[in-house]
Amino acid sequence: MRRGMEFIFPFIQDKSKWPWKHDVLYWDEWPVRQPSLLFAGLKFNQPDYLKLWQALRPDPQTTEIVRNVPLRHPLLWVGKTEAAGK
């Protein structure tokens, strides 16, 4: 997971850096708040992941985008100490 997040984080942060074809539907509506940013930020002590997670749109309205975000409320899946950053 660490290597995957290290790879994808810069593109979530600034999708204009993506060097390949825009191969997803609704390109303009991404990124949204991804649970993987929260979980990786907590697990790997990466404040930048957490800051970006907080900054992204939490409640997309397009059905296709909603369908592709597996958890709507990922804070329910973390403990109190994790959520507090301890």
Side-chain angles (χ1 to χ4, degrees), residues 7-49:
F7 170 79
I8 201 68
F9 177 76
F11 304 119
I12 297 172
Q13 192 172 36
D14 180 359
K15 71 179 176 183
S16 71
K17 292 181 180 180
W18 185 255
W20 299 285
K21 180 182 173 193
H22 300 171
D23 61 347
V24 297
L25 293 174
Y26 306 101
W27 174 264
D28 294 334
E29 296 183 40
W30 289 100
V32 297
R33 199 175 273 182
Q34 294 291 329
S36 58
L37 284 168
L38 173 65
F39 297 142
L42 293 171
K43 176 67 178 175
F44 304 127
N45 194 26
Q46 290 290 331
D48 289 343
Y49 294 178

Side-chain angles (χ1 to χ4, degrees), residues 48-81:
D48 289 343
Y49 294 178
L50 299 173
K51 287 178 190 172
L52 180 56
W53 179 79
Q54 289 177 322
L56 292 171
R57 265 182 323 172
D59 297 313
Q61 300 301 306
T62 303
T63 304
E64 181 68 11
I65 305 298
V66 171
R67 184 178 70 80
N68 283 284
V69 177
L71 294 171
R72 308 284 185 272
H73 305 287
L75 287 174
L76 296 174
W77 293 85
V78 299
K80 289 180 184 179
T81 57

